[in-house]
Short mmCIF file of all heavy atoms in Angstrom, two decimals:
data_model
loop_
_atom_site.label_atom_id
_atom_site.label_comp_id
_atom_site.label_asym_id
_atom_site.label_seq_id
_atom_site.Cartn_x
_atom_site.Cartn_y
_atom_site.Cartn_z
N THR A 194 -59.43 -251.27 -15.39
CA THR A 194 -60.35 -251.99 -14.29
C THR A 194 -61.61 -251.00 -14.09
O THR A 194 -61.46 -249.84 -14.11
CB THR A 194 -59.65 -252.23 -13.00
OG1 THR A 194 -60.59 -252.74 -12.06
CG2 THR A 194 -59.02 -251.05 -12.50
N SER A 195 -62.65 -251.62 -13.85
CA SER A 195 -63.87 -250.85 -13.68
C SER A 195 -63.95 -250.20 -12.27
O SER A 195 -64.83 -249.44 -11.90
CB SER A 195 -65.21 -251.75 -13.85
OG SER A 195 -65.09 -252.92 -13.11
N THR A 196 -62.98 -250.58 -11.52
CA THR A 196 -62.75 -250.04 -10.12
C THR A 196 -64.02 -250.10 -9.34
O THR A 196 -64.51 -249.16 -8.67
CB THR A 196 -62.28 -248.57 -10.17
OG1 THR A 196 -61.49 -248.40 -11.33
CG2 THR A 196 -61.57 -248.19 -8.95
N VAL A 197 -64.65 -251.32 -9.35
CA VAL A 197 -65.88 -251.55 -8.52
C VAL A 197 -65.86 -252.66 -7.58
O VAL A 197 -66.55 -252.82 -6.54
CB VAL A 197 -67.17 -251.76 -9.43
CG1 VAL A 197 -67.47 -250.45 -10.11
CG2 VAL A 197 -66.85 -252.85 -10.38
N VAL A 198 -64.89 -253.61 -7.83
CA VAL A 198 -64.82 -254.86 -6.99
C VAL A 198 -63.79 -254.64 -5.91
O VAL A 198 -62.55 -254.40 -6.26
CB VAL A 198 -64.62 -256.09 -7.83
CG1 VAL A 198 -64.38 -257.36 -6.94
CG2 VAL A 198 -65.74 -256.31 -8.78
N GLU A 199 -64.21 -254.77 -4.69
CA GLU A 199 -63.35 -254.57 -3.49
C GLU A 199 -62.62 -255.97 -3.21
O GLU A 199 -63.10 -256.99 -3.58
CB GLU A 199 -64.12 -254.28 -2.29
CG GLU A 199 -64.74 -252.81 -2.40
CD GLU A 199 -63.77 -251.62 -2.54
OE1 GLU A 199 -62.57 -251.97 -2.37
OE2 GLU A 199 -64.17 -250.57 -2.92
N PRO A 200 -61.50 -255.92 -2.50
CA PRO A 200 -60.74 -254.70 -2.12
C PRO A 200 -59.88 -254.04 -3.15
O PRO A 200 -59.36 -252.90 -2.84
CB PRO A 200 -59.87 -255.20 -0.94
CG PRO A 200 -59.57 -256.70 -1.41
CD PRO A 200 -60.76 -257.24 -2.06
N ALA A 201 -59.70 -254.64 -4.30
CA ALA A 201 -58.81 -253.98 -5.32
C ALA A 201 -59.19 -252.56 -5.69
O ALA A 201 -58.45 -251.69 -5.78
CB ALA A 201 -58.82 -254.83 -6.64
N ALA A 202 -60.64 -252.36 -5.64
CA ALA A 202 -61.13 -251.10 -6.04
C ALA A 202 -60.57 -249.88 -5.13
O ALA A 202 -60.50 -248.77 -5.57
CB ALA A 202 -62.61 -251.09 -6.13
N SER A 203 -60.26 -250.22 -3.95
CA SER A 203 -59.87 -249.20 -2.97
C SER A 203 -58.44 -248.90 -3.04
O SER A 203 -57.99 -247.89 -2.60
CB SER A 203 -60.09 -249.68 -1.46
OG SER A 203 -61.52 -249.95 -1.28
N LEU A 204 -57.66 -249.74 -3.73
CA LEU A 204 -56.24 -249.51 -3.76
C LEU A 204 -55.80 -248.09 -4.33
O LEU A 204 -54.91 -247.42 -3.76
CB LEU A 204 -55.46 -250.66 -4.54
CG LEU A 204 -55.67 -252.07 -3.81
CD1 LEU A 204 -54.92 -253.13 -4.76
CD2 LEU A 204 -55.04 -252.04 -2.49
N PRO A 205 -56.37 -247.74 -5.58
CA PRO A 205 -55.88 -246.44 -6.00
C PRO A 205 -56.31 -245.25 -5.08
O PRO A 205 -55.60 -244.25 -4.94
CB PRO A 205 -56.66 -246.34 -7.34
CG PRO A 205 -57.64 -247.32 -7.37
CD PRO A 205 -57.28 -248.39 -6.41
N PHE A 206 -57.39 -245.42 -4.42
CA PHE A 206 -57.90 -244.36 -3.51
C PHE A 206 -56.98 -244.32 -2.23
O PHE A 206 -56.68 -243.21 -1.67
CB PHE A 206 -59.38 -244.57 -3.13
CG PHE A 206 -60.35 -244.45 -4.32
CD1 PHE A 206 -60.74 -245.62 -5.02
CD2 PHE A 206 -60.69 -243.24 -4.71
CE1 PHE A 206 -61.63 -245.51 -6.12
CE2 PHE A 206 -61.50 -243.14 -5.89
CZ PHE A 206 -61.93 -244.35 -6.51
N MET A 207 -56.54 -245.50 -1.80
CA MET A 207 -55.58 -245.50 -0.73
C MET A 207 -54.31 -244.83 -1.11
O MET A 207 -53.73 -244.03 -0.33
CB MET A 207 -55.17 -246.98 -0.40
CG MET A 207 -56.27 -247.68 0.35
SD MET A 207 -55.67 -249.41 0.66
CE MET A 207 -57.05 -250.15 1.42
N ALA A 208 -53.83 -245.07 -2.36
CA ALA A 208 -52.70 -244.38 -2.82
C ALA A 208 -52.86 -242.83 -2.78
O ALA A 208 -52.02 -242.11 -2.29
CB ALA A 208 -52.29 -244.90 -4.15
N LEU A 209 -54.07 -242.39 -3.27
CA LEU A 209 -54.32 -240.93 -3.22
C LEU A 209 -54.28 -240.44 -1.87
O LEU A 209 -53.74 -239.37 -1.56
CB LEU A 209 -55.67 -240.66 -3.76
CG LEU A 209 -55.76 -240.70 -5.36
CD1 LEU A 209 -57.37 -240.65 -5.76
CD2 LEU A 209 -55.11 -239.49 -5.90
N GLU A 210 -54.86 -241.09 -0.91
CA GLU A 210 -54.90 -240.67 0.52
C GLU A 210 -53.47 -240.54 1.08
O GLU A 210 -53.17 -239.72 1.97
CB GLU A 210 -55.68 -241.65 1.39
CG GLU A 210 -57.21 -241.40 1.33
CD GLU A 210 -58.04 -242.58 1.68
OE1 GLU A 210 -57.49 -243.40 2.48
OE2 GLU A 210 -59.14 -242.78 1.24
N GLU A 211 -52.50 -241.38 0.55
CA GLU A 211 -51.17 -241.29 1.06
C GLU A 211 -50.28 -240.25 0.23
O GLU A 211 -49.13 -240.09 0.46
CB GLU A 211 -50.48 -242.67 0.87
CG GLU A 211 -50.99 -243.78 1.72
CD GLU A 211 -50.97 -243.55 3.14
OE1 GLU A 211 -49.93 -242.87 3.66
OE2 GLU A 211 -51.90 -243.99 3.95
N GLY A 212 -51.03 -239.55 -0.64
CA GLY A 212 -50.38 -238.44 -1.38
C GLY A 212 -49.75 -238.81 -2.70
O GLY A 212 -49.00 -238.08 -3.32
N ALA A 213 -50.03 -240.05 -3.05
CA ALA A 213 -49.49 -240.47 -4.39
C ALA A 213 -50.19 -239.78 -5.51
O ALA A 213 -51.32 -239.38 -5.35
CB ALA A 213 -49.60 -242.04 -4.54
N LYS A 214 -49.53 -239.86 -6.70
CA LYS A 214 -50.21 -239.30 -7.93
C LYS A 214 -50.74 -240.57 -8.61
O LYS A 214 -50.12 -241.68 -8.67
CB LYS A 214 -49.10 -238.70 -8.84
CG LYS A 214 -48.29 -237.54 -8.22
CD LYS A 214 -49.19 -236.34 -8.00
CE LYS A 214 -48.24 -235.19 -7.59
NZ LYS A 214 -48.99 -234.19 -6.82
N VAL A 215 -51.98 -240.52 -9.12
CA VAL A 215 -52.61 -241.55 -9.68
C VAL A 215 -53.02 -241.32 -11.24
O VAL A 215 -53.49 -240.31 -11.53
CB VAL A 215 -54.04 -241.98 -8.99
CG1 VAL A 215 -54.75 -242.96 -9.81
CG2 VAL A 215 -53.70 -242.47 -7.57
N ILE A 216 -52.54 -242.27 -12.09
CA ILE A 216 -52.69 -242.18 -13.44
C ILE A 216 -53.63 -243.34 -13.82
O ILE A 216 -53.42 -244.39 -13.53
CB ILE A 216 -51.35 -242.40 -14.32
CG1 ILE A 216 -50.31 -241.34 -13.85
CG2 ILE A 216 -51.62 -242.24 -15.79
CD1 ILE A 216 -48.92 -241.79 -14.29
N GLU A 217 -54.71 -242.93 -14.42
CA GLU A 217 -55.73 -244.02 -14.89
C GLU A 217 -55.73 -244.07 -16.45
O GLU A 217 -55.61 -243.15 -17.16
CB GLU A 217 -57.17 -243.66 -14.52
CG GLU A 217 -58.19 -244.71 -14.94
CD GLU A 217 -59.64 -244.42 -14.59
OE1 GLU A 217 -60.09 -243.31 -14.88
OE2 GLU A 217 -60.31 -245.27 -13.96
N VAL A 218 -55.71 -245.35 -16.98
CA VAL A 218 -55.80 -245.57 -18.39
C VAL A 218 -56.98 -246.46 -18.59
O VAL A 218 -56.95 -247.66 -18.17
CB VAL A 218 -54.57 -246.37 -18.88
CG1 VAL A 218 -54.67 -246.73 -20.40
CG2 VAL A 218 -53.32 -245.48 -18.68
N ASN A 219 -58.03 -245.94 -19.30
CA ASN A 219 -59.32 -246.66 -19.45
C ASN A 219 -60.01 -245.99 -20.56
O ASN A 219 -60.20 -244.72 -20.50
CB ASN A 219 -60.04 -246.72 -18.17
CG ASN A 219 -61.12 -247.82 -18.24
OD1 ASN A 219 -61.90 -247.92 -19.23
ND2 ASN A 219 -61.37 -248.58 -17.13
N PRO A 220 -60.61 -246.78 -21.52
CA PRO A 220 -61.47 -246.05 -22.66
C PRO A 220 -62.71 -245.30 -22.07
O PRO A 220 -63.31 -244.43 -22.69
CB PRO A 220 -61.68 -247.15 -23.59
CG PRO A 220 -61.38 -248.34 -22.99
CD PRO A 220 -60.50 -248.13 -21.80
N THR A 221 -63.19 -245.91 -20.87
CA THR A 221 -64.37 -245.44 -20.31
C THR A 221 -64.18 -244.86 -18.89
O THR A 221 -63.22 -245.28 -18.25
CB THR A 221 -65.50 -246.44 -20.29
OG1 THR A 221 -64.99 -247.56 -19.39
CG2 THR A 221 -65.78 -247.01 -21.68
N ARG A 222 -65.17 -244.06 -18.47
CA ARG A 222 -65.04 -243.45 -17.22
C ARG A 222 -65.35 -244.52 -16.09
O ARG A 222 -66.10 -245.36 -16.16
CB ARG A 222 -66.04 -242.20 -16.99
CG ARG A 222 -65.65 -240.96 -17.80
CD ARG A 222 -66.67 -239.87 -17.52
NE ARG A 222 -66.45 -239.37 -16.10
CZ ARG A 222 -65.46 -238.55 -15.66
NH1 ARG A 222 -64.63 -238.07 -16.53
NH2 ARG A 222 -65.52 -238.11 -14.34
N THR A 223 -64.62 -244.30 -14.91
CA THR A 223 -64.89 -245.21 -13.79
C THR A 223 -64.97 -244.37 -12.57
O THR A 223 -64.84 -243.05 -12.62
CB THR A 223 -63.63 -246.13 -13.56
OG1 THR A 223 -62.62 -245.33 -13.10
CG2 THR A 223 -63.16 -246.75 -14.87
N PRO A 224 -65.34 -244.86 -11.46
CA PRO A 224 -65.40 -244.14 -10.15
C PRO A 224 -64.07 -243.41 -9.82
O PRO A 224 -64.03 -242.46 -9.10
CB PRO A 224 -65.80 -245.08 -9.10
CG PRO A 224 -66.54 -246.14 -9.82
CD PRO A 224 -65.88 -246.29 -11.16
N LEU A 225 -62.96 -243.86 -10.48
CA LEU A 225 -61.75 -243.24 -10.15
C LEU A 225 -61.45 -242.08 -11.09
O LEU A 225 -60.61 -241.10 -10.65
CB LEU A 225 -60.55 -244.36 -10.35
CG LEU A 225 -59.10 -243.88 -10.21
CD1 LEU A 225 -58.83 -243.46 -8.72
CD2 LEU A 225 -58.17 -244.89 -10.60
N THR A 226 -62.01 -241.99 -12.16
CA THR A 226 -61.62 -241.00 -13.31
C THR A 226 -61.65 -239.62 -12.73
O THR A 226 -60.61 -238.83 -12.97
CB THR A 226 -62.55 -241.11 -14.49
OG1 THR A 226 -62.64 -242.59 -14.83
CG2 THR A 226 -62.19 -240.28 -15.62
N GLY A 227 -62.65 -239.28 -11.95
CA GLY A 227 -62.78 -237.90 -11.48
C GLY A 227 -61.73 -237.51 -10.38
O GLY A 227 -61.52 -236.41 -10.02
N ARG A 228 -61.11 -238.54 -9.76
CA ARG A 228 -60.10 -238.45 -8.63
C ARG A 228 -58.73 -238.48 -9.10
O ARG A 228 -57.76 -238.09 -8.46
CB ARG A 228 -60.43 -239.38 -7.53
CG ARG A 228 -61.80 -239.19 -6.89
CD ARG A 228 -61.79 -238.25 -5.87
NE ARG A 228 -60.70 -238.32 -4.88
CZ ARG A 228 -60.70 -239.19 -3.80
NH1 ARG A 228 -61.67 -240.03 -3.65
NH2 ARG A 228 -59.73 -239.22 -2.94
N ALA A 229 -58.53 -239.10 -10.34
CA ALA A 229 -57.12 -239.32 -10.77
C ALA A 229 -56.37 -238.09 -11.03
O ALA A 229 -56.95 -237.09 -11.49
CB ALA A 229 -57.28 -240.28 -12.08
N THR A 230 -55.12 -238.17 -10.78
CA THR A 230 -54.23 -236.99 -11.07
C THR A 230 -54.36 -236.69 -12.67
O THR A 230 -54.41 -235.64 -13.16
CB THR A 230 -52.84 -237.38 -10.67
OG1 THR A 230 -52.79 -237.78 -9.32
CG2 THR A 230 -51.99 -236.03 -10.67
N ILE A 231 -54.15 -237.87 -13.46
CA ILE A 231 -54.24 -237.80 -14.86
C ILE A 231 -55.08 -238.94 -15.23
O ILE A 231 -54.80 -240.17 -15.03
CB ILE A 231 -52.82 -238.04 -15.51
CG1 ILE A 231 -51.82 -236.84 -15.03
CG2 ILE A 231 -52.92 -237.90 -16.96
CD1 ILE A 231 -50.39 -237.09 -15.50
N ALA A 232 -56.12 -238.70 -16.01
CA ALA A 232 -56.97 -239.87 -16.59
C ALA A 232 -56.87 -239.76 -18.13
O ALA A 232 -57.22 -238.80 -18.80
CB ALA A 232 -58.41 -239.50 -16.16
N ILE A 233 -56.33 -240.89 -18.57
CA ILE A 233 -56.08 -240.92 -20.02
C ILE A 233 -57.14 -241.92 -20.63
O ILE A 233 -57.17 -243.08 -20.21
CB ILE A 233 -54.66 -241.47 -20.30
CG1 ILE A 233 -53.59 -240.56 -19.76
CG2 ILE A 233 -54.52 -241.59 -21.83
CD1 ILE A 233 -52.14 -241.09 -19.76
N ALA A 234 -58.00 -241.39 -21.48
CA ALA A 234 -59.10 -242.15 -22.06
C ALA A 234 -58.45 -242.89 -23.30
O ALA A 234 -58.09 -242.34 -24.36
CB ALA A 234 -60.27 -241.30 -22.55
N GLY A 235 -58.26 -244.15 -23.14
CA GLY A 235 -57.64 -244.94 -24.34
C GLY A 235 -57.43 -246.37 -23.88
O GLY A 235 -57.66 -246.79 -22.73
N SER A 236 -57.00 -247.22 -24.88
CA SER A 236 -56.82 -248.54 -24.56
C SER A 236 -55.40 -248.81 -24.05
O SER A 236 -54.49 -248.05 -24.35
CB SER A 236 -57.02 -249.43 -25.81
OG SER A 236 -56.04 -249.12 -26.71
#
Side-chain angles (χ1 to χ4, degrees):
T194 178
S195 54
T196 328
V197 292
V198 174
E199 295 297 351
S203 295
L204 295 176
F206 297 96
M207 285 178 184
L209 279 171
E210 277 157 30
E211 296 296 329
K214 305 289 188 203
V215 172
I216 302 163
E217 182 183 48
V218 176
N219 194 321
T221 59
R222 290 185 64 82
T223 72
L225 177 66
T226 308
R228 298 279 308 282
T230 313
I231 303 174
I233 301 172
S236 70

